[in-house]
Amino acid sequence: MDIIFHHPTFNSQQWIEGLHQKLPEATVRQWLPGDNQPADYALVWHPPVEMLSGRSTLKGVFALGAGVDSILSQLQKHPEMLPKGVPLFRLEDTGMALQMQEYAVSQVLHWFRRFDDYQALKQQAKWEPLEDYRREDFTIGVLGAGVLGGKVAESLAAWGFPVRCWSRSKKDYLGITSYAGAEQLGQFLSGTRVLINLLPNTPQTVGIINSELLNKLADNSYVMNLARGVHLVEDDLLAALDSGKVKGAMLDVFAKEPLPQNSLLWKHPRIAITPHLAAVTRPEEAMTYIAKTIRQIENKESPSGQVSLDNGY
Ligand SMILES: NC(=O)C1=CN([C@@H]2O[C@H](COP(=O)(O)OP(=O)(O)OC[C@H]3O[C@@H](n4cnc5c(N)ncnc54)[C@H](OP(=O)(O)O)[C@@H]3O)[C@@H](O)[C@H]2O)C=CC1
Ligand SMILES: O=C(O)C(=O)CO
């Protein structure tokens, strides 16, 4: 079994050795330009078109992350990159859900305990106890209730917050109110105080966090974008912060990354920024999932994690 690997920044040697340990029967190699030797599986992130094109022997392609938007947008331009019938898999959780939970819970608690206000008061050397926020006024709405959104919603519910989620299909998560489809988006937004985005980037979700959506949130709301920068209309967020509709935002992802030096987002006192690391690929967990999935494919079983090319996620 031959496996080819390409990632622009990961340590290839670590992956080659790690995969070989988990799949001793496999020969794993880093793909380099000009390599058109046969391969059964390809592990990729931002793959060059020539790496995959014309590989009729492939049995599966693995995206080395959770979001497959960059691969699918490349596929649109170069459909020959994925020979018909070759399944594309993505990382489902493999350690990312816990990271997302840490990120979301810590920031929600920061806002709930008004640490943002106390930071501002500190700038003025003001000793001023503020009124507590009440959990019942702090409804959290998670856009996207899949592998990561579902786990984030559950972790916030465990802290006693009222939590709701929005997805394409209805969910049955314990203690979480589920809304589904475009027709229920308005209901989901109404009364939501903290909006957390964990949607995939698809034609239906681009620009979804815009002024129309923000205006439907509760007053003094908060926005956390953990999914993709293209979901958020940055100017609309800035306007909502300046009008007072939105009180604060925490952004991990941006339309342009790295976020340009001259972006107004850097300067806004009520926007916190992290450089796209809400959840990163954990090599050990990812390799365990990939090895297990390859075995399932070889045994003609149906593994989970296959991307629906029709749905775009
Ligand atoms: N910032 C970071 O570091 C990281 C960001 N990400 C981002 O997080 C995203 C989510 O990951 P993950 O949870 O694994 O993805 P999933 O595919 O498991 O979940 C996606 C969710 O979004 C819902 N959804 C998709 N399209 C729509 C729509 N048009 N309307 C309503 N709901 C919709 C799906 O609904 P349904 O369940 O009904 O299908 C599903 O609940 C990734 O695509 C990636 O972009 C991921 C990892 C790290
Ligand atoms: O896995 C993903 O989709 C990511 O965004 C990793 O940072």
Side-chain angles (χ1 to χ4, degrees):
M1 178 195 306
D2 291 296
I3 301 178
I4 48 176
F5 174 92
H6 169 84
H7 193 291
T9 57
F10 285 179
N11 176 341
S12 310
Q13 207 47 40
Q14 177 192 11
W15 282 77
I16 289 168
E17 285 165 17
L19 282 160
H20 186 63
Q21 271 185 6
K22 292 183 195 297
L23 290 167
E25 69 275 34
T27 305
V28 190
R29 66 182 193 271
Q30 181 183 7
W31 180 86
L32 293 169
D35 171 355
N36 52 16
Q37 293 303 301
D40 301 290
Y41 296 98
L43 278 46
V44 297
W45 196 246
H46 298 297
V49 177
E50 55 162 323
M51 176 182 181
L52 299 179
S53 296
R55 287 197 176 273
S56 54
T57 58
L58 278 180
K59 293 186 240 177
V61 173
F62 289 85
L64 294 167
V68 286
D69 46 342
S70 64
I71 295 184
L72 294 185
S73 75
Q74 233 176 337
L75 252 182
Q76 271 210 321
K77 290 181 230 142
H78 305 280
E80 75 281 6
M81 256 179 69
L82 194 67
K84 224 175 162 44
V86 175
L88 171 64
F89 294 90
R90 69 183 193 94
L91 299 181
E92 282 188 323
D93 187 348
T94 61
M96 285 192 244
L98 180 61
Q99 297 172 66
M100 284 294 183
Q101 290 175 321
E102 291 162 356
Y103 192 114
V105 169
S106 58
Q107 188 60 26
V108 166
L109 293 177
H110 179 89
W111 285 325
F112 180 65
R113 291 303 307 264
R114 305 193 64 167
F115 292 155
D116 51 347
D117 291 321
Y118 288 115
Q119 262 171 6
L121 286 168
K122 183 189 173 249
Q123 304 294 322
Q124 306 162 54
K126 272 197 177 163
W127 180 281
E128 188 184 322
L130 301 169
E131 201 179 323
D132 284 350
Y133 284 154
R134 302 179 319 160
R135 272 182 169 66
E136 54 267 41
D137 300 329
F138 229 72
T139 294
I140 294 160
V142 183
L143 284 172
V147 173
L148 301 178
K151 288 272 170 56
V152 163
E154 283 174 351
S155 64
L156 288 160
W159 274 91
F161 294 104
V163 182
R164 48 178 74 165
C165 64
W166 183 70
S167 43
R168 285 201 325 148
S169 56
K170 204 97 177 155
K171 303 295 170 199
D172 196 14
Y173 298 132
L174 193 67
I176 292 157
T177 313
S178 162
Y179 297 88
E183 55 293 350
Q184 292 195 338
L185 180 59
Q187 268 174 281
F188 162 84
L189 295 169
S190 169
T192 289
R193 183 78 180 274
V194 180
L195 184 76
I196 301 177
N197 178 33
L198 275 164
L199 286 166
N201 170 13
T202 69
Q204 292 75 37
T205 63
V206 170
I208 189 167
I209 308 176
N210 54 29
S211 47
E212 193 190 335
L213 177 147
L214 294 170
N215 282 329
K216 291 184 179 152
L217 295 172
D219 289 341
N220 286 314
S221 55
Y222 303 87
V223 174
M224 209 186 293
N225 190 12
L226 308 184
R228 287 293 182 259
V230 292
H231 288 133
L232 173 70
V233 181
E234 292 174 355
D235 287 346
D236 289 4
L237 173 68
L238 288 168
L241 281 158
D242 292 343
S243 76
K245 179 73 186 174
V246 172
K247 188 163 176 223
M250 176 95 202
L251 308 177
D252 182 57
V253 285
F254 303 89
K256 192 163 189 314
E257 294 180 2
L259 183 62
Q261 281 286 303
N262 62 359
S263 168
L264 295 176
L265 300 175
W266 283 118
K267 297 201 176 70
H268 201 289
R270 282 180 285 123
I271 297 180
I273 287 175
T274 49
H276 196 149
L277 45 61
V280 300
T281 297
R282 296 278 188 234
E284 193 53 36
E285 285 105 317
M287 285 189 268
T288 300
Y289 160 76
I290 291 167
K292 177 175 149 211
T293 305
I294 288 178
R295 287 201 197 292
Q296 289 174 319
I297 297 171
E298 294 289 317
N299 292 335
K300 310 260 180 279
E301 295 161 16
S302 5
S304 85
Q306 186 170 346
V307 174
S308 157
L309 299 183
D310 290 339
N311 294 341
Y313 67 99

